[in-house]
Coordinates of all heavy atoms in Angstrom, one line a residue:
Q1 N 3.4 -15.0 -8.6 CA 2.6 -14.0 -9.2 C 2.6 -12.7 -8.3 O 2.5 -11.6 -8.9 CB 1.2 -14.5 -9.4 CG 1.0 -15.5 -10.5 CD 1.3 -14.8 -11.8 OE1 0.8 -13.7 -12.1 NE2 2.1 -15.4 -12.7
L2 N 2.6 -12.8 -7.0 CA 2.6 -11.6 -6.2 C 4.0 -10.9 -6.2 O 4.1 -9.7 -6.0 CB 2.2 -12.0 -4.8 CG 0.8 -12.4 -4.6 CD1 0.5 -12.8 -3.2 CD2 -0.2 -11.3 -5.1
R3 N 5.0 -11.7 -6.5 CA 6.4 -11.1 -6.7 C 6.5 -10.4 -8.0 O 7.0 -9.2 -8.1 CB 7.4 -12.2 -6.5 CG 8.8 -11.7 -6.7 CD 9.8 -12.8 -6.6 NE 11.2 -12.3 -7.0 CZ 11.6 -12.4 -8.2 NH1 10.8 -12.8 -9.2 NH2 12.8 -11.9 -8.5
K4 N 6.1 -11.1 -9.1 CA 6.2 -10.5 -10.4 C 5.0 -11.0 -11.2 O 5.1 -12.0 -11.9 CB 7.5 -10.9 -11.1 CG 7.7 -10.3 -12.5 CD 9.0 -10.7 -13.1 CE 9.2 -10.0 -14.4 NZ 10.4 -10.4 -15.1
P5 N 3.9 -10.3 -11.2 CA 2.7 -10.7 -11.9 C 2.9 -10.8 -13.4 O 3.6 -10.0 -14.0 CB 1.7 -9.6 -11.6 CG 2.2 -8.9 -10.3 CD 3.7 -9.1 -10.4
T6 N 2.4 -11.9 -13.9 CA 2.5 -12.2 -15.4 C 1.2 -12.7 -15.9 O 0.4 -13.3 -15.2 CB 3.6 -13.2 -15.7 OG1 3.3 -14.4 -15.0 CG2 5.0 -12.8 -15.2
G7 N 1.0 -12.4 -17.2 CA -0.2 -13.0 -17.9 C -1.5 -12.6 -17.3 O -1.6 -11.6 -16.6
F8 N -2.5 -13.3 -17.7 CA -3.9 -13.0 -17.3 C -4.0 -13.0 -15.8 O -4.6 -12.1 -15.2 CB -4.9 -14.1 -17.9 CG -6.3 -13.8 -17.5 CD1 -7.1 -13.0 -18.3 CD2 -6.8 -14.5 -16.4 CE1 -8.4 -12.7 -17.9 CE2 -8.2 -14.2 -16.1 CZ -9.0 -13.4 -16.8
F9 N -3.5 -14.0 -15.1 CA -3.6 -14.1 -13.6 C -2.9 -12.9 -13.0 O -3.5 -12.2 -12.1 CB -2.9 -15.3 -13.1 CG -3.2 -15.6 -11.7 CD1 -4.3 -16.4 -11.3 CD2 -2.3 -15.1 -10.7 CE1 -4.5 -16.6 -9.9 CE2 -2.5 -15.3 -9.4 CZ -3.6 -16.0 -9.0
G10 N -1.8 -12.5 -13.5 CA -1.1 -11.3 -12.9 C -1.9 -10.0 -13.1 O -2.1 -9.2 -12.2
R11 N -2.4 -9.9 -14.3 CA -3.1 -8.6 -14.7 C -4.4 -8.5 -13.9 O -4.8 -7.4 -13.5 CB -3.3 -8.6 -16.2 CG -4.0 -7.3 -16.7 CD -4.2 -7.4 -18.2 NE -2.9 -7.5 -18.9 CZ -2.2 -6.5 -19.2 NH1 -2.5 -5.2 -18.9 NH2 -1.0 -6.7 -19.8
H12 N -5.2 -9.6 -13.8 CA -6.5 -9.6 -13.3 C -6.7 -10.0 -11.9 O -7.6 -9.5 -11.2 CB -7.5 -10.4 -14.2 CG -7.5 -9.8 -15.6 ND1 -8.2 -8.6 -15.9 CD2 -6.9 -10.2 -16.7 CE1 -8.0 -8.3 -17.2 NE2 -7.2 -9.3 -17.7
V13 N -5.9 -11.0 -11.4 CA -6.1 -11.5 -10.1 C -5.1 -10.8 -9.1 O -5.4 -10.3 -8.1 CB -6.0 -13.1 -10.1 CG1 -6.1 -13.6 -8.6 CG2 -7.0 -13.6 -11.0
A14 N -3.8 -10.9 -9.4 CA -2.8 -10.4 -8.5 C -2.9 -8.9 -8.4 O -2.8 -8.4 -7.3 CB -1.4 -10.7 -9.1
A15 N -3.2 -8.2 -9.4 CA -3.4 -6.7 -9.3 C -4.6 -6.4 -8.4 O -4.5 -5.5 -7.6 CB -3.7 -6.1 -10.7
R16 N -5.7 -7.1 -8.5 CA -6.8 -6.8 -7.6 C -6.5 -7.2 -6.2 O -6.9 -6.5 -5.3 CB -8.0 -7.6 -8.1 CG -8.6 -7.0 -9.4 CD -9.9 -7.6 -9.8 NE -10.4 -7.0 -11.0 CZ -10.8 -7.6 -12.0 NH1 -10.8 -8.9 -12.0 NH2 -11.2 -6.9 -13.1
F17 N -5.8 -8.3 -6.0 CA -5.4 -8.7 -4.6 C -4.5 -7.6 -4.1 O -4.6 -7.3 -2.9 CB -4.7 -10.1 -4.7 CG -4.2 -10.5 -3.3 CD1 -5.1 -11.0 -2.3 CD2 -2.9 -10.3 -2.9 CE1 -4.7 -11.3 -1.1 CE2 -2.5 -10.6 -1.6 CZ -3.4 -11.1 -0.7
M18 N -3.5 -7.1 -4.8 CA -2.6 -6.1 -4.3 C -3.4 -4.8 -3.9 O -3.1 -4.2 -2.9 CB -1.5 -5.7 -5.3 CG -0.5 -6.8 -5.5 SD 0.6 -6.2 -6.8 CE 1.3 -7.7 -7.4
H19 N -4.3 -4.5 -4.8 CA -5.2 -3.3 -4.5 C -5.8 -3.5 -3.1 O -5.8 -2.5 -2.3 CB -6.2 -3.1 -5.6 CG -7.2 -2.1 -5.3 ND1 -6.9 -0.7 -5.4 CD2 -8.5 -2.1 -4.9 CE1 -7.9 0.0 -5.1 NE2 -8.9 -0.8 -4.8
W20 N -6.4 -4.6 -2.8 CA -7.1 -4.9 -1.6 C -6.1 -5.0 -0.4 O -6.3 -4.4 0.6 CB -7.9 -6.1 -1.8 CG -8.5 -6.7 -0.5 CD1 -9.6 -6.2 0.1 CD2 -8.0 -7.7 0.3 NE1 -9.8 -6.9 1.3 CE2 -8.8 -7.8 1.4 CE3 -6.9 -8.6 0.2 CZ2 -8.6 -8.8 2.4 CZ3 -6.6 -9.5 1.1 CH2 -7.5 -9.6 2.3
A21 N -5.1 -5.8 -0.6 CA -4.2 -6.1 0.5 C -3.2 -5.0 0.9 O -2.8 -5.0 2.1 CB -3.3 -7.3 0.1
N22 N -3.0 -4.0 0.0 CA -2.1 -3.0 0.4 C -2.7 -1.6 0.8 O -1.9 -0.7 1.0 CB -1.1 -2.7 -0.8 CG -0.2 -3.9 -1.1 OD1 0.1 -4.7 -0.2 ND2 0.2 -4.0 -2.3
V23 N -4.0 -1.6 1.0 CA -4.6 -0.4 1.4 C -4.0 0.2 2.7 O -3.6 1.4 2.7 CB -6.1 -0.5 1.6 CG1 -6.8 0.7 2.3 CG2 -6.8 -0.8 0.2
E24 N -3.9 -0.6 3.7 CA -3.4 -0.1 5.0 C -1.9 0.4 4.9 O -1.6 1.5 5.4 CB -3.5 -1.2 6.1 CG -3.1 -0.8 7.4 CD -4.0 0.2 8.2 OE1 -5.2 0.2 7.8 OE2 -3.5 0.9 9.0
I25 N -1.1 -0.4 4.3 CA 0.3 0.0 4.2 C 0.5 1.2 3.4 O 1.3 2.1 3.6 CB 1.2 -1.2 3.8 CG1 2.7 -0.9 4.1 CG2 1.0 -1.5 2.3 CD1 3.6 -2.1 4.0
N26 N -0.3 1.3 2.3 CA -0.2 2.5 1.5 C -0.6 3.8 2.3 O 0.0 4.8 2.2 CB -1.1 2.4 0.2 CG -0.5 1.4 -0.8 OD1 0.7 1.1 -0.7 ND2 -1.3 1.0 -1.7
L27 N -1.7 3.7 3.0 CA -2.1 4.8 3.9 C -1.1 5.2 4.9 O -0.8 6.4 5.1 CB -3.5 4.5 4.5 CG -4.7 4.4 3.6 CD1 -5.9 3.9 4.4 CD2 -5.0 5.7 3.0
R28 N -0.5 4.2 5.5 CA 0.6 4.5 6.5 C 1.8 5.1 5.8 O 2.4 6.0 6.4 CB 1.0 3.2 7.2 CG -0.1 2.8 8.2 CD 0.4 1.5 8.9 NE -0.6 1.0 9.7 CZ -0.5 0.2 10.8 NH1 0.8 -0.2 11.1 NH2 -1.4 -0.3 11.4
T29 N 2.1 4.6 4.6 CA 3.3 5.2 3.9 C 3.0 6.6 3.6 O 3.9 7.5 3.8 CB 3.5 4.4 2.6 OG1 3.8 3.0 3.0 CG2 4.6 4.9 1.8
M30 N 1.8 6.9 3.1 CA 1.5 8.3 2.7 C 1.6 9.2 3.9 O 2.1 10.4 3.9 CB 0.2 8.4 2.0 CG 0.2 7.9 0.6 SD -1.4 8.1 -0.3 CE -2.5 7.1 0.6
D31 N 1.1 8.7 5.1 CA 1.1 9.5 6.3 C 2.5 9.8 6.8 O 2.8 10.8 7.3 CB 0.3 8.8 7.3 CG 0.1 9.6 8.6 OD1 -0.3 10.8 8.5 OD2 0.4 9.0 9.7
A32 N 3.4 8.8 6.6 CA 4.8 8.9 7.2 C 5.7 9.7 6.3 O 6.8 10.1 6.7 CB 5.3 7.5 7.3
M33 N 5.3 10.0 5.0 CA 6.2 10.6 4.1 C 6.5 12.1 4.3 O 7.5 12.6 3.9 CB 5.8 10.3 2.6 CG 6.0 8.8 2.3 SD 5.5 8.5 0.6 CE 6.8 9.1 -0.3
S34 N 5.5 12.8 4.8 CA 5.7 14.3 5.0 C 6.1 15.0 3.7 O 7.1 15.7 3.7 CB 6.7 14.6 6.1 OG 6.3 14.0 7.4

């Protein structure tokens, strides 16, 4: 599901988990991109 979210679980659970889990890496990525 984390690799390729599908169905109800992917849409509602995996998407929310990704939102929470990727905050730090997204901030670092934006900072590094110039």
